[in-house]
Amino acid sequence: MPSSAPFTFTMRGIILALALTFVGSQKFDIDPGFSGRKSHLYSYEGWVLNGLQEKSLAKAGVRLSCKLEISELSENAYLLKIRSPQFEEYNGIWPRDPFTRSSKITQMVSSCFTRPFKFEYNSGRIGNIYGPEDCPDMCINIVRGILNMMQITIKKSQNVLESEVFAIHGTSSRKTGRTAESLLPKL
């Protein structure tokens, strides 16, 4: 009696290849689809900590909380308004010590955010960022960091979501074991 093991293994390979081809051929659009008639309001919180990775060692950093309003100017040009920025400083043992409000930093940077910033956005990529002429580079860099939350590339596979985030410090990749549809509302 002939063995059917090689035939079964070959068929499984063919079925796997067809399934991967089918999944890979599906289009997945993550563009937020900003409408020219609407303004989109987001709550934003971002923080940066510096220090060694070991627990119970001192770290220093800053946290920014604010509201973001994004509206479309033209097909690939958008306007970003930053509302109610609040900066908090961190200086202590992570994660035991709390952030403390920094009115000095908030006041200094809030003056930059009184006027809107223009940016280019196309197919998940942030292009040029334009700020007021007298806006310090520090404020432009903060805006660049905020806009990095929108600059993502997502690859959809059967049960794994791979995302790649392009930031000032480089590229960061992440794999998540959920389907992309369950993550879309959170993006």
Side-chain angles (χ1 to χ4, degrees), residues 85-106:
Q86 294 295 320
F87 277 89
E88 298 172 300
E89 294 177 293
Y90 187 85
N91 193 4
I93 307 297
W94 181 258
R96 183 184 72 198
D97 297 328
F99 280 88
T100 57
R101 187 173 172 169
S102 175
S103 57
K104 183 178 179 182
I105 297 174
T106 300

Side-chain angles (χ1 to χ4, degrees), residues 12-178:
R12 285 183 183 166
I14 292 171
I15 290 172
L16 177 63
L18 288 173
L20 291 175
T21 301
F22 175 70
V23 169
S25 67
Q26 293 182 0
K27 298 291 182 196
F28 181 63
D29 186 19
I30 61 154
D31 192 17
F34 296 124
S35 171
R37 291 172 263 135
K38 294 187 207 175
S39 288
H40 300 271
L41 189 63
Y42 298 95
S43 293
Y44 175 82
E45 182 176 293
W47 46 273
V48 177
L49 288 177
N50 291 313
L52 297 174
Q53 294 295 329
E54 289 83 25
K55 287 187 176 182
S56 300
L57 292 177
K59 292 187 183 271
V62 67
R63 176 169 58 188
L64 168 64
S65 302
C66 61
K67 301 282 186 207
L68 306 176
E69 184 181 338
I70 299 175
S71 53
E72 185 177 20
L73 291 175
S74 64
E75 186 176 341
N76 293 326
Y78 299 89
L79 202 61
L80 171 69
K81 295 177 186 172
I82 300 173
R83 309 266 190 232
S84 309
Q86 294 295 320
F87 277 89
E88 298 172 300
E89 294 177 293
Y90 187 85
N91 193 4
I93 307 297
W94 181 258
R96 183 184 72 198
D97 297 328
F99 280 88
T100 57
R101 187 173 172 169
S102 175
S103 57
K104 183 178 179 182
I105 297 174
T106 300
Q107 184 180 14
M108 180 179 71
V109 176
S110 291
S111 64
C112 300
F113 298 151
T114 57
R115 291 174 282 170
F117 292 83
K118 180 182 170 185
F119 67 97
E120 297 169 355
Y121 183 76
N122 188 12
S123 301
R125 302 266 186 215
I126 300 292
N128 294 324
I129 300 170
Y130 305 98
E133 267 188 42
D134 57 342
C135 186
D137 288 342
M138 178 184 69
C139 294
I140 298 286
N141 287 333
I142 291 171
V143 170
R144 184 174 286 119
I146 290 171
L147 290 174
N148 275 332
M149 73 173 179
M150 294 173 43
Q151 184 163 317
I152 56 176
T153 303
I154 294 182
K155 299 175 192 171
K156 182 180 172 188
S157 64
Q158 193 167 6
N159 288 320
V160 177
L161 179 67
E162 296 179 46
S163 64
E164 189 172 69
V165 178
F166 300 93
I168 294 171
H169 61 278
T171 302
S172 173
S173 298
R174 179 178 68 188
K175 288 186 180 182
T176 307
R178 294 193 227 169

